Amino acid sequence: MKAPRQILLSLSVAALAGVGLSACSSSQPPDASKLLATSQQEANNSYSVSYRLVATSKPTKANPHPDVETIASELSPTTSVESVRFASGNGDLDAKLVDGIVYFRGAANILATALGLPTAAAQHYAGQWISIPDTNPNFAAITGTLNLSTQVGLLYPAGKVTIGPEQTFHGHQVWPLSGSSTPDVSRKAGVTRILIDEKTNLPVASGVVAINHNNQQFSEAASFLAWGGHVQVKAPTTSVPIDTALAYH
């Protein structure tokens, strides 16, 4: 059964990275829809973003200690890097976009699932960097997850939004916007609360509480660390071409 909206909203507030919200002055809030549109445009126009996201599932009797996923990303149009880490270590992966080439590494099960490597090849190349040119179908799939507007867009609310009173969050004066979660393959329903810096109109944090297609509740808390800087990423010193990995037997 889907949790009541007000419960999800209260949980999304708690899910915000670092919490630390405090009341501020009684400034007149701007129009919520206009602020949302302005902030999304500012984010999409930014050259780069650096953020950290932590995702957790709600404990159940069957799974009282669900895995915790941490994603660290630095994204720009030409150079990006992302790491995904699970508390259990199951599913860890790294991806880089450098000079038009994607570099990807992960455990055997990740290489088999994400890149389509045969079992023997996935086991052999587990933990090694695999280089993927734009002529390989995996290139588009992976760069899609390294796209600033796509990834940040998932952390904004969708549809009708409401605005709360001005707050102070980690030294930023922010306007909190709340609404339904942006649709995603992992979300059946949910709510999102995002904190918009009143000076830059860029987000500083976002909290999502949603229900997946198995009716399991999960939350995501994102902290935006920097906007507009240069992403410093180097290609791995050694890597295996994906065609070589696919041909392994």
Side-chain angles (χ1 to χ4, degrees):
M1 180 182 294
K2 184 165 69 175
R5 181 178 175 82
Q6 58 268 33
I7 294 177
L8 289 177
L9 279 169
S10 65
L11 287 170
S12 68
V13 173
L16 285 171
V19 189
L21 281 168
S22 60
C24 191
S25 64
S26 56
S27 300
Q28 184 67 27
D31 179 87
S33 297
K34 290 182 179 179
L35 179 59
L36 175 66
T38 299
S39 181
Q40 289 174 319
Q41 183 176 15
E42 289 291 337
N44 289 335
N45 289 341
S46 295
Y47 178 76
S48 69
V49 63
S50 173
Y51 70 93
R52 182 176 183 270
L53 183 147
V54 178
T56 56
S57 297
K58 183 179 180 180
T60 63
K61 289 184 178 180
N63 186 15
H65 304 290
D67 215 349
V68 178
E69 178 185 9
T70 302
I71 301 174
S73 298
E74 294 182 67
L75 311 178
S76 78
T78 59
T79 308
S80 297
V81 60
E82 183 170 86
S83 67
V84 179
R85 296 290 182 268
F86 288 84
S88 66
N90 183 28
D92 292 356
L93 64 88
D94 297 283
K96 295 181 179 183
L97 172 63
V98 185
D99 296 331
I101 301 292
V102 162
Y103 299 91
F104 188 95
R105 71 178 176 187
N109 62 320
I110 297 298
L111 297 184
T113 303
L115 303 184
L117 264 62
T119 300
Q123 292 175 346
H124 181 76
Y125 292 110
Q128 299 183 48
W129 285 107
I130 296 176
S131 58
I132 306 171
D134 59 7
T135 53
N136 185 279
N138 288 297
F139 180 92
I142 295 173
T143 52
T145 68
L146 300 175
N147 180 277
L148 185 155
S149 60
T150 300
Q151 296 309 301
V152 174
L154 294 173
L155 297 170
Y156 275 96
K160 184 178 180 180
V161 293
T162 58
I163 190 168
E166 186 183 27
Q167 308 280 341
T168 299
F169 179 81
H170 289 190
H172 296 267
Q173 304 302 115
V174 299
W175 294 110
L177 293 178
S178 300
S180 299
S181 295
T182 297
D184 181 38
V185 292
S186 66
R187 302 170 185 168
K188 180 178 179 180
V191 293
T192 295
R193 191 181 197 209
I194 194 166
L195 305 181
I196 307 299
D197 189 302
E198 67 174 26
K199 292 182 179 180
T200 65
N201 289 324
L202 290 167
V204 296
S206 176
V208 178
V209 176
I211 297 170
N212 63 25
H213 293 278
N214 294 322
N215 292 320
Q216 297 170 323
Q217 186 176 299
F218 67 94
S219 65
E220 297 174 342
S223 297
F224 296 95
L225 307 176
W227 292 90
H230 182 68
V231 179
Q232 301 281 353
V233 179
K234 293 183 178 180
T237 54
T238 59
S239 62
V240 178
I242 191 169
D243 288 346
T244 300
L246 287 170
Y248 179 88
H249 61 275

